[in-house]
Amino acid sequence: MSAHTLAFDTLKFAKNLERYTFTTQQAEGLADELKIIIEENTASSSDIDELEKNLATKIEISAANTRAEIIKWVVGLLFAQSALIVSAIKFL
């Protein structure tokens, strides 16, 4: 994932931890580490755009393959139907 800006107030988070008996050093360290974790695991808009393009491409490929498969079945059934009609006419 790419680096991007995230609105996470580490100072406010650290001050809140200090109210729960964390030392200033502990609170600031935890806030910094949490910010890193959030930034590394949060998708940016460019990440989402890239994913959207990849999914669109996969959908287009899948749709093309499905159309080709349907055409093969239709053509096959037309030949089978034609053979059946020719056979039925020969019996008459």
Side-chain angles (χ1 to χ4, degrees):
M1 303 213 176
S2 62
H4 54 281
T5 305
L6 180 67
F8 177 68
D9 189 346
T10 55
L11 179 60
K12 182 178 177 181
F13 182 74
K15 293 291 181 191
N16 284 337
L17 290 176
E18 288 175 7
R19 288 187 309 143
Y20 294 103
T21 68
F22 279 77
T23 66
T24 300
Q25 186 178 9
Q26 289 172 325
E28 289 174 355
L30 185 58
D32 290 340
E33 290 302 314
L34 184 57
K35 182 177 181 182
I36 291 168
I37 290 168
I38 290 171
E39 288 177 346
E40 289 177 352
N41 293 293
T42 303
S44 68
S45 59
S46 63
D47 293 332
I48 293 169
D49 291 342
E50 182 180 340
L51 179 62
E52 183 179 18
K53 288 176 188 174
N54 289 341
L55 286 174
T57 301
K58 288 180 181 181
I59 289 169
E60 288 175 22
I61 291 169
S62 178
N65 290 339
T66 301
R67 282 191 297 272
E69 197 65 28
I70 289 171
I71 290 170
K72 284 194 289 188
W73 275 96
V74 168
V75 169
L77 288 173
L78 285 174
F79 280 119
Q81 183 180 13
S82 297
L84 185 62
I85 291 171
V86 169
S87 296
I89 290 174
K90 284 186 179 183
F91 278 123
L92 296 177

